[in-house]
C-alpha cells in the first residue's frame, strides 16, 4: 500500500502560520493585530501543518493492530514519520526514533535508559528539562562558561576526572534564555576523545537551524513539535538504540509488550523491541504526523527562514540597545544567536513590563526565569538586577518588522513615560485594573 501525502509547493517566502491576522483587545478599548514575540515558548501552527492534519483526520484510526483499511493508513502514517524525522536531523539509518510528548519527556526517557552508574556531565546553564532528570553522585554540573572556547576546555576537564565507565554529555543546541548557539560539534569531539556519548537538547535549535547528527557527531537528539510549529502534543528522541533497548520500558502497557502470559502467581512479560518498547499506550498519530510534516516544511525553507530571522534579530537588538537602562543577558561572548533575546530594564519589574506590553500594546513576550533558574539568576546579577526574572522576546516565522518596531517603541514609552494604565499584583502576577477585555466566544 502506498500512502500519498500531498506535498506543498516550495516558495521563496517563509512558511505562513495560523493566526497571523489574529486581533486582540487592549485595555484602552482598541483592537490590534497580535504581535507574537513568544515563539521560544510555543510556536504557532504552520498553515501547511494544519492542512496536513486536516488531510489525515478522515483516515484517523487505531494503529499497529487494526485490520481495517483506515487503521492501515494511520499505521503507515505513523511509521513513515520515523523516517521523515530521521531525515530532518540527519541521523544514521540504524538510529531509533521514539515518539514522546515533548523534549522534557524525551530527556527523561533517556535518563531512565542509561546504564547504571553512567557518569553524566552537563553545564548548569541547561533548561530544567535537561538539567533535572540526572541525579546521583556521578552527575557533574559544570558552571556555565563565558565563551565557546571556554566551554570546550571546561568539558575536556570535566570528562578527564569523570568516573570510569559509561559516560554521557548533555548539551543544548541553542539557549532558550539567550538564543546563543553552542559549539556542539566541538563539544562532541571532546566527548568522543573521552569515550563519552553526547545528547543534544535541540528544542530551541530545531525551529531555527538545520541539524545533522552525523556531521555534529551527536548520539541523541531530542526536540518538540510545539517548538517547530506543530502544536499537537508530540516530541521525539532520536539516537543510538542499544541503551534504549537494554532499558526497562519507560511506561508499561499495550504496545510495549510483545507477549504476556499467566503463570498463576505472576505474569510473564516479553517486552517489545525499540522503538515500541518505550511507546506504551495508544500513540498520538495526529501529533506525530504534524511533527513530521513540520520537519519537511522547515527543511524546504531553511535559507529563507534563517535570513528572515537574522534580519529581524538585528533590528530587534539594535532597537533594544537604544533603550535607557535595558541590559541584554549573555552567556557566551563569542556565539552567534537565533531569534531569542532576554533582557532586564533597570527599575522595572519584568512581570510588570510583560503585562503592560500585552494590555496596552497587544504584544506577547515571556517574563520569568524561563525554566532555567540557575543561569537566569546568575545573569541578572551580572547586569545589576536584584530580581531573579527577565523579559524574553523571541522571533519566529510569524514575526514581522512591525512587531519588532512596536515592541521597541512600546518599551521606550514605558521606560521614559510610564504606563497608560494602572496595574496591581494578583497571585504573584501584574494585572491591569478594571480590565474589561472579553475572552473569545469559545471560552464563554
Amino acid at each position: 500500500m502506498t500512502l500519498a501525502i500531498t506535498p506543498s509547493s516550495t516558495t521563496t517566502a517563509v512558511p505562513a502560520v495560523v493566526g497571523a491576522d489574529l486581533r486582540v483587545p487592549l485595555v484602552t478599548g482598541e483592537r490590534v493585530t497580535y504581535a507574537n514575540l513568544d515563539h521560544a515558548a510555543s510556536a504557532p501552527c504552520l498553515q501547511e501543518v494544519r492542512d496536513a492534519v486536516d488531510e489525515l483526520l478522515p483516515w484517523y484510526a487505531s494503529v499497529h493492530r487494526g485490520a481495517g483499511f483506515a487503521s492501515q493508513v494511520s499505521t503507515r502514517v505513523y511509521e513513515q514519520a520515523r523516517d521523515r524525522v530521521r531525515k530532518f536531523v540527519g541521523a544514521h539509518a540504524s538510529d531509533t526514533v521514539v515518539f514522546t510528548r515533548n523534549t522534557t519527556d524525551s530527556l527523561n526517557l533517556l535518563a531512565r535508559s542509561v546504564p547504571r552508574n553512567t557518569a553524566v556531565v552537563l553545564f548548569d546553564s541547561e533548561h530544567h528539562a535537561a538539567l533535572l532528570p540526572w541525579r546521583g553522585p556521578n552527575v557533574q554540573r559544570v558552571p556555565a562558561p563565558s565563551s565557546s572556547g571556554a566551554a570546550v576546555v571546561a568539558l575536556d576537564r570535566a570528562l578527564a576526572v569523570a568516573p570510569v565507565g559509561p559516560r554521557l554529555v548533555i548539551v543544548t543546541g541553542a539557549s532558550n534564555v539567550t538564543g546563543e548557539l553552542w559549539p556542539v560539534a566541538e563539544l562532541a569531539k571532546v566527548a568522543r576523545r573521552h569515550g563519552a556519548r553526547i545528547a543534544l537538547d535541540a528544542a530551541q535549535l530545531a525551529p531555527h537551524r538545520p541539524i545533522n547528527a552525523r556531521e555534529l557527531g551527536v548520539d541523541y537528539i531530542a526536540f518538540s513539535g510545539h517548538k517547530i510549529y506543530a502544536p499537537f502534543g508530540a516530541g521525539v528522541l532520536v539516537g543510538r538504540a542499544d541503551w534504549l533497548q537494554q532499558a526497562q520500558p519507560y511506561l508499561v502497557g499495550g504496545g510495549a509488550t510483545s507477549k504476556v502470559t499467566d503463570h498463576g502467581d505472576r505474569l510473564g512479560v516479553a517486552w517489545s523491541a525499540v522503538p515500541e518498547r518505550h511507546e506504551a499506550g495508544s500513540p498520538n498519530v495526529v501529533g506525530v504526523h504534524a511533527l513530521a510534516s513540520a520537519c519537511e516544511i522547515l527543511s524546504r525553507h531553511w535559507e529563507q527562514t534563517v535570513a528572515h530571522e537574522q534580519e529581524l534579530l538585528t533590528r530587534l537588538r539594535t532597537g533594544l540597545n537604544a533603550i535607557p537602562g535595558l541590559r541584554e543577558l549573555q552567556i557566551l561572548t563569542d556565539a552567534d544567536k537565533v531569534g531569542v533575546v532576554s533582557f532586564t530594564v533597570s527599575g522595572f519589574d519584568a512581570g510588570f513590563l510583560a503585562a503592560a506590553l500585552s494590555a496596552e500594546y497587544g504584544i506577547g513576550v515571556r517574563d520569568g526565569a524561563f525554566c532555567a533558574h540557575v543561569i537566569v539568576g546568575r545573569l541578572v546579577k551580572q547586569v545589576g538586577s536584584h530580581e531573579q526574572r527577565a523579559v524574553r522576546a523571541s522571533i519566529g516565522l510569524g514575526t514581522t518588522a512591525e512587531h519588532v518596531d512596536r515592541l521597541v517603541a512600546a518599551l521606550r514609552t514605558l521606560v521614559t513615560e510610564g504606563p497608560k494604565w494602572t496595574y496591581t499584583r494578583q497571585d504573584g502576577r501584574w494585572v491591569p485594573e478594571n480590565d474589561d477585555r472579553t475572552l473569545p466566544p469559545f471560552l464563554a
Side-chain angles (χ1 to χ4, degrees):
M1 177 177 63
T2 300
L3 176 67
I5 300 295
T6 304
S8 300
S9 60
T10 301
T11 65
T12 56
V14 296
V17 300
V18 176
D21 56 353
L22 178 68
R23 295 181 66 80
V24 296
L26 306 182
V27 289
T28 55
E30 306 163 74
R31 296 186 79 89
V32 297
T33 303
Y34 184 52
N36 182 357
L37 290 166
D38 195 19
H39 285 72
S42 283
C45 185
L46 286 174
Q47 288 186 7
E48 290 179 80
V49 168
R50 180 186 60 185
D51 293 344
V53 168
D54 287 344
E55 184 181 21
L56 171 63
L57 285 177
W59 296 95
Y60 171 73
S62 62
V63 303
H64 294 149
R65 292 169 296 280
F69 192 79
S71 290
Q72 295 178 48
V73 170
S74 288
T75 298
R76 184 66 63 89
V77 166
Y78 189 77
E79 292 304 326
Q80 281 183 351
R82 300 193 200 275
D83 290 331
R84 299 164 78 189
V85 171
R86 191 181 286 110
K87 181 179 179 181
F88 177 70
V89 298
H92 296 277
S94 59
D95 285 339
T96 192
V97 177
V98 181
F99 290 118
T100 64
R101 294 176 297 172
N102 45 46
T103 308
T104 301
D105 202 27
S106 296
L107 292 173
N108 274 269
L109 164 59
L110 181 59
R112 288 272 296 273
S113 301
V114 299
R116 189 175 181 181
N117 297 322
T118 295
V120 177
V121 180
L122 70 165
F123 294 99
D124 66 4
S125 49
E126 293 290 333
H127 186 282
H128 292 169
L131 187 68
L132 298 181
W134 317 95
R135 307 291 177 89
N138 288 341
V139 177
Q140 186 177 172
R141 286 182 288 275
V142 181
S146 59
S147 68
S148 298
V152 174
V153 171
L155 179 62
D156 192 22
R157 290 174 177 170
L159 286 171
V161 298
V164 175
R167 296 174 173 185
L168 178 66
V169 175
I170 312 297
V171 65
T172 189
S175 170
N176 82 303
V177 177
T178 63
E180 293 154 345
L181 292 164
W182 282 63
V184 177
E186 291 80 2
L187 294 171
K189 289 178 182 177
V190 172
R192 283 280 182 276
R193 190 164 66 246
H194 288 276
R197 299 188 184 190
I198 185 166
L200 174 64
D201 174 358
Q204 286 299 331
L205 181 62
H208 302 286
R209 292 289 193 280
I211 300 170
N212 190 302
R214 289 167 294 177
E215 292 179 1
L216 292 173
V218 297
D219 299 279
Y220 303 96
I221 295 176
F223 64 96
S224 297
H226 76 100
K227 302 285 192 187
I228 63 167
Y229 307 92
F232 291 87
V236 67
L237 176 67
V238 184
R240 296 172 64 171
D242 54 347
W243 285 359
L244 294 166
Q245 178 61 42
Q246 295 161 12
Q248 289 295 303
Y250 184 47
L251 297 174
V252 295
T257 57
S258 60
K259 188 175 183 180
V260 177
T261 54
D262 186 357
H263 297 281
D265 60 339
R266 63 182 177 85
L267 293 176
V269 182
W271 300 113
S272 301
V274 293
E276 290 84 0
R277 187 182 192 87
H278 299 294
E279 292 182 350
S282 296
N284 181 3
V285 181
V286 173
V288 164
H289 180 52
L291 184 152
S293 298
C295 288
E296 292 186 343
I297 295 161
L298 288 174
S299 294
R300 296 197 300 267
H301 295 87
W302 279 129
E303 183 178 351
Q304 303 97 301
T305 295
V306 172
H308 167 80
E309 292 184 356
Q310 288 303 297
E311 179 182 348
L312 292 179
L313 177 62
T314 300
R315 191 185 192 103
L316 173 62
R317 297 182 75 191
T318 300
L320 292 179
N321 288 337
I323 295 174
L326 190 146
R327 298 291 183 270
E328 184 178 338
L329 304 187
Q330 187 177 36
I331 304 172
L332 306 177
T333 57
D334 58 347
D336 291 334
K337 287 168 63 77
V338 298
V340 179
V341 178
S342 294
F343 56 88
T344 64
V345 181
S346 179
F348 287 86
D349 179 87
F352 166 78
L353 289 174
L357 288 170
S358 173
E360 299 180 29
Y361 298 95
I363 300 170
V365 295
R366 180 74 38 157
D367 70 280
F370 322 123
C371 295
H373 294 179
V374 174
I375 189 61
V376 170
R378 188 176 304 150
L379 294 178
V380 295
K381 288 181 181 178
Q382 290 177 4
V383 297
S385 174
H386 298 294
E387 293 187 50
Q388 298 294 307
R389 300 162 64 87
V391 178
R392 183 181 70 190
S394 49
I395 290 167
L397 295 176
T399 309
T400 68
E402 189 278 326
H403 295 163
V404 169
D405 293 346
R406 194 194 318 174
L407 171 66
V408 172
L411 280 169
R412 184 181 298 112
T413 299
L414 286 168
V415 170
T416 59
E417 301 177 16
K420 307 171 188 175
W421 210 258
T422 303
Y423 298 81
T424 58
R425 290 184 71 89
Q426 292 183 11
D427 300 323
R429 301 289 299 177
W430 289 97
V431 296
E433 294 183 354
N434 304 315
D435 186 357
D436 294 329
R437 291 176 296 171
T438 57
L439 295 171
F442 65 83
L443 286 176

